[in-house]
Amino acid sequence: MSRNLGRALVSLAGAGLLIGACTLGGTTTSSGRFSGVTLRVVTFTGPQIAEPLQRRAPDFQKATGAKVQVITVPMSDLYQKILTDFATKTNSYDAMVFDPQWMGDYVPAGYLEDLTDRVKKDSSLQWNDIAPFFRDFSATYKGHVYTVPLDGDFQMAYYRKDLLQRDGLKPPATWQDYIDIARRYQGKDLNGDGKPDFGSCVAMKRSAQSYWMFLSAAAAYLQSQGTSQGAFFNTANMQPLMSNQGAAAALDVYKQISQLGPPDQLNNDVGDSRGAFVSGRCALSIDWGDIGTLAIDKSQSTVEDKVGAVILPGSKRVVDRSTGALVDCDSKLCPNAVNGVNHAPFAAFGGWSGAINKAKPQNVKDAAFAFLSYMSAPAQSGEDVTLGRTGFNPYRTSQFTNLGPWEKAGMSQQAAKDYLGAIEASLKSPNMVLDLRVPQSASYEGTSLDTALAQFLAGELTADQTMKQITDQWNQKTDEIGRSSQLDAYKASLNVTR
């Protein structure tokens, strides 16, 4: 998921499928099947995410006759803009490319088209090639498919391979490893310009979703039993998991990392941290898949073939939910541990996905699905995920098993193997953490959690006060909406049926 930067890595050739008749949305389509249809697709301003939609729209029109208008809205306004449009029955948009977290608000209200039958019938989409996590969790709500994934979002750790190899260090397996490595390189000149550089570069700006960095650390302590266990609430009573020794450990990690980076790190967004990393100023970073592609952009990167990537660091201790205490991993508590370390790769945001307005006429919905299918199909997405400017990260099995497109984009074979190996390890983890997907998830994360973390880093709250404030505000929001309904929504998002 790219948010603030990315430049062209290679020029794309034409789509290649768009002469005469073609297969789109599971149907053999003549060039005029959707003639006269204008699709209004809304997404965030970008240019990432919007860019591939805009670039490929003319080819889709040539194939189908449907004109695609991409409407862009600032990220901070996108959720409410779509929700208000639905709620007022204005229905300005035919399709939305958005955060699948928001299904918790849009699906129960009946705003989104159920795509289950469509994806089953659409051979061109190659649904089973989409990695199971994104197919079965990110795209699905209560057993029904409502979105078509266009992007795969989860956090990984990046490291300067040349530095660690030179100094005989292994990539970080635990969060303590990460801190130790960052401390070793903090203040050292890492790019040869004679200036002190940084052990770690992470986006920690308030109101820029920096809480995902904290949740990436917390996940390793809070979830060890698989995706369906969840890392936010107890699935028995919807009590927050934000006031225990695991959450306290994550806050400590978060604060230490905040002090092992640029002096203005608390004001840095993802564009700042990525720019610093690819310019050679950082030994480590936590980010989505974007750094892998930006590192090979010769116009801005000085670390080509010097970057390694691994699954998010984990912990050898996890929370015993019956007591709230941290206890050592064993085969029962951490059944998926690797060398005694519980890894919990965090699907922060969940990956940009396309959905369809249920209220639209059938021919418009058909055209909208055809466009989303076309964008997600391997021929198009397989190219787009290799380009830093798109903001699309790999989400299909074929995208991390086939090295060809990555080498074509400029990655060396070894760099591609390192990058895609970390992706594969994350996607295959049965302990992947699904981002929060309940009604008003933005209030839980973007307001309560974000505010408390900012106060914590500023020294306004102690760790205990921070955990209490988050817990109290989350409980207040849950009770305001309805604890029973929120619990049902949370369990549904995790595909928990009991």
Side-chain angles (χ1 to χ4, degrees), residues 140-355:
T140 301
Y141 191 88
K142 289 192 174 182
H144 292 260
V145 176
Y146 289 94
T147 74
V148 175
L150 301 174
D151 166 45
D153 279 347
F154 49 88
Q155 306 251 274
M156 300 188 295
Y158 293 90
Y159 63 95
R160 281 280 299 279
K161 186 193 297 188
D162 57 326
L163 298 179
L164 270 62
Q165 288 180 343
R166 181 194 70 191
D167 297 331
L169 301 176
K170 294 181 179 179
T174 67
W175 285 108
Q176 188 58 55
D177 293 340
Y178 187 98
I179 290 168
D180 291 343
I181 294 170
R183 185 171 288 119
R184 179 186 182 113
Y185 292 108
Q186 179 71 7
K188 304 289 179 61
D189 179 12
L190 305 182
N191 62 355
D193 65 357
K195 299 177 182 178
D197 294 312
F198 318 114
S200 169
C201 295
V202 176
M204 288 190 162
K205 182 179 179 180
R206 184 174 179 179
S207 301
Q209 291 80 44
S210 57
Y211 50 78
W212 280 320
M213 174 60 236
F214 164 73
L215 292 171
S216 289
Y221 301 100
L222 300 179
Q223 180 181 296
S224 61
Q225 300 282 309
T227 300
S228 61
Q229 185 186 29
F232 292 89
F233 297 94
N234 188 313
T235 55
N237 54 21
M238 201 60 182
Q239 279 297 317
L241 298 174
M242 289 291 137
S243 188
N244 53 59
Q245 290 184 8
L251 286 172
D252 181 59
V253 168
Y254 191 55
K255 177 157 281 189
Q256 289 193 64
I257 290 176
S258 76
Q259 298 166 345
L260 294 169
D264 59 348
Q265 185 160 240
L266 298 189
N267 294 316
N268 283 356
D269 207 334
V270 289
D272 303 307
S273 59
R274 289 171 186 167
F277 189 91
V278 300
S279 66
R281 302 210 64 194
C282 317
L284 298 168
S285 187
I286 302 295
D287 204 338
W288 291 271
D290 302 77
I291 282 180
T293 51
L294 293 171
I296 60 173
D297 181 356
K298 291 179 172 57
S299 69
Q300 60 183 304
S301 175
T302 65
V303 294
E304 187 176 5
D305 284 335
K306 297 178 181 178
V307 178
V310 289
I311 192 172
L312 270 183
S315 172
K316 293 185 177 182
R317 308 189 78 203
V318 298
V319 167
D320 179 341
R321 294 194 179 184
S322 66
T323 64
L326 274 180
V327 296
D328 293 338
C329 270
D330 58 28
S331 59
K332 183 178 180 181
L333 273 176
C334 308
N336 305 299
V338 177
N339 298 323
V341 177
N342 178 59
H343 292 278
F346 177 43
F349 191 85
W352 291 90
S353 303

Side-chain angles (χ1 to χ4, degrees), residues 33 50 53 62 72 74 85 160 190 206 231 317 379 405 447-448 484:
R33 181 189 174 199
L53 302 173
K62 291 177 186 176
T72 59
D85 194 73
R160 281 280 299 279
L190 305 182
R206 184 174 179 179
R317 308 189 78 203
T447 301
S448 297
S484 178

Side-chain angles (χ1 to χ4, degrees), residues 45 50 52 60 96 122 132 141 179 242 279 314 347 350 384 403 427 435:
T45 303
F60 180 77
M96 295 68 61
D122 183 2
Y141 191 88
I179 290 168
M242 289 291 137
S279 66
D384 288 343
L403 298 184
L427 285 178
D435 207 348

Side-chain angles (χ1 to χ4, degrees), residues 8-14 55 383 387 389 408:
L9 302 175
V10 281
S11 297
L12 288 179
R55 169 169 39 84
E383 261 186 319
L387 307 177
R389 68 184 181 185
K408 182 180 178 182

Side-chain angles (χ1 to χ4, degrees), residues 89-108:
K89 301 187 187 305
T90 305
N91 289 319
S92 304
Y93 313 121
D94 305 306
M96 295 68 61
V97 176
F98 63 2
D99 180 351
Q101 280 184 276
W102 302 341
M103 282 198 287
D105 286 299
Y106 301 162
V107 171

